[in-house]
Amino acid sequence: MTDTLTIYEVHDRHGHHWRVTDLRSAERRVEELRRYGSDPSATIHQRKIEKVIPKAGDLFVGSWGYDQTNTDGLRVVEVSKSGKTATFIQVEADRSDHEVDYTRVALKFSHRPVSGRGWTQTGPIRKTLKWDDNGKPYFRIDRWAGAPFFRLVEDEESRTFSETHPQYGH
């Protein structure tokens, strides 16, 4: 399934540009630039990009924590027909024996569900997806201020993630 996302870029005469996903925000930015005299010639450029629609088995990763970094992985179980929502389960992270440095350990995510704890402790969760200005999907796990954003991991096999070493706060 392919879908497109319209990106609006506001350009000023100094070579700065801002990317937004809605025309109203772009128009407001141009109006601000014109009103405050910094650039009466600011313009809006529109481009379309292809959205990446996740599929079952794809991995989304989010990092969070204060004074330590926790890294969690959620796997897609199902994607709606429209591609706008997905159902996720949290999966186990395999910690490697090698340390990234003395305070962090390397992680690879499995396909084994986390049982009885974590974000999905009551079962699979369904989330509405959003897309960044590169067409990559993401979502916020919860509404609290420090809640992590989970982003799609592409080329998962070549990626290693890290989190705070267990002896430093887990």
Side-chain angles (χ1 to χ4, degrees):
M1 172 187 337
T2 58
D3 199 1
T4 58
L5 180 65
T6 302
I7 301 297
Y8 300 93
E9 294 181 347
V10 176
H11 294 260
D12 71 6
R13 68 177 175 218
H14 305 292
H16 302 111
H17 68 274
W18 297 264
R19 284 190 262 187
V20 294
T21 55
D22 64 292
L23 182 57
R24 185 157 165 69
S25 294
E27 289 170 340
R28 278 194 307 255
R29 183 69 186 148
V30 166
E31 180 60 33
E32 288 172 4
L33 288 168
R34 290 179 180 163
R35 180 181 308 140
Y36 298 111
S38 65
D39 192 355
S41 64
T43 57
I44 299 174
H45 300 269
Q46 176 183 331
R47 67 183 173 97
K48 294 200 179 287
I49 59 171
E50 191 172 306
K51 283 185 188 178
V52 175
I53 306 295
K55 60 190 178 314
D58 282 350
L59 176 68
F60 281 66
V61 171
S63 295
W64 58 279
Y66 179 81
D67 263 356
Q68 69 181 34
T69 302
N70 303 291
T71 304
D72 293 321
L74 298 173
R75 287 229 183 254
V76 176
V77 177
E78 173 183 65
V79 178
S80 66
K81 288 181 183 178
S82 68
K84 294 178 182 177
T85 60
T87 303
F88 297 88
I89 57 167
Q90 188 168 355
V91 291
E92 292 283 350
D94 295 322
R95 286 167 178 77
S96 74
D97 290 337
H98 103 267
E99 298 175 351
V100 176
D101 59 36
Y102 75 96
T103 63
R104 296 181 299 148
V105 293
L107 305 172
K108 286 280 191 184
F109 289 96
S110 70
H111 287 265
R112 296 184 313 275
V114 169
S115 58
R117 62 179 176 77
W119 301 110
T120 59
Q121 61 187 337
T122 58
I125 58 171
R126 188 166 191 77
K127 289 292 180 185
T128 300
L129 301 173
K130 295 181 179 183
W131 281 264
D132 65 19
D133 59 8
N134 292 312
K136 308 290 190 258
Y138 71 94
F139 64 91
R140 190 168 214 157
I141 193 74
D142 208 340
R143 291 186 178 170
W144 51 276
F149 286 99
F150 280 78
R151 299 183 182 282
L152 176 67
V153 174
E154 295 181 303
D155 196 19
E156 178 186 347
E157 296 307 313
S158 67
R159 297 283 306 271
T160 300
F161 305 92
S162 66
E163 72 178 6
T164 305
H165 194 288
Q167 77 184 41
Y168 292 99
H170 283 272

